[in-house]
Amino acid sequence: QVQLVESGGGLVQPGGSLRLSCAGSGSIVSRAFMEWYRQAPGKQREWVAQIASDGSAFYEDSVKGRFTISRDNVRNTVYLQMNNLKPNDTAVYYCHGRLYPNDYWGQGTQVTVSS
């Protein structure tokens, strides 16, 4: 059974950085279209970033220039480097993999940006 497991969340001050990791079972990360989503309290889950198998990446406007998505196919892991974090980045961050006809979600990791 395919699993995605996020890690790397925590409490950070505004302007700080965190790197989230999403480790996949099997070879899911190297084959799937991978994304990061987030869900803030009281809000709907929203898309943050995506990376295709060819390495092309796209970002939600509010995180452009601050967040970087990458993948390591040998380690079967996708990352989200988050710099210059802001209080409104506070959310549970979820890893999502799409490999037709299935899609997979991790359990989420909490990111809190506060002074």
Side-chain angles (χ1 to χ4, degrees):
Q1 182 171 344
V2 173
Q3 286 189 318
L4 296 173
V5 179
E6 301 98 333
S7 61
L11 173 64
V12 63
Q13 292 186 342
S17 298
L18 284 174
R19 188 177 78 157
L20 305 184
S21 299
C22 171
S25 60
S27 60
I28 180 65
V29 169
S30 64
R31 296 183 292 131
F33 183 87
M34 299 300 299
E35 300 172 293
W36 286 97
Y37 283 76
R38 65 185 179 186
Q39 188 167 17
K43 295 187 177 180
Q44 289 189 332
R45 191 172 297 189
E46 65 173 2
W47 171 79
V48 175
Q50 66 187 45
I51 186 166
S53 57
D54 65 358
S56 57
F58 295 92
Y59 301 91
E60 191 271 329
D61 284 348
S62 70
V63 308
K64 281 181 183 176
R66 299 189 299 123
F67 290 13
T68 303
I69 188 171
S70 61
R71 67 199 303 160
D72 184 332
N73 290 338
V74 173
R75 290 181 169 81
N76 208 29
T77 301
V78 64
Y79 302 99
L80 186 68
Q81 177 67 43
M82 306 186 296
N83 299 327
N84 190 21
L85 283 160
K86 303 176 181 182
N88 61 5
D89 293 318
T90 295
V92 178
Y93 283 71
Y94 296 90
C95 179
H96 179 239
R98 282 195 275 153
L99 185 62
Y100 183 82
N102 301 307
D103 68 334
Y104 308 95
W105 289 94
Q107 83 288 350
T109 185
Q110 176 70 48
V111 172
T112 302
V113 185
S114 175
S115 55

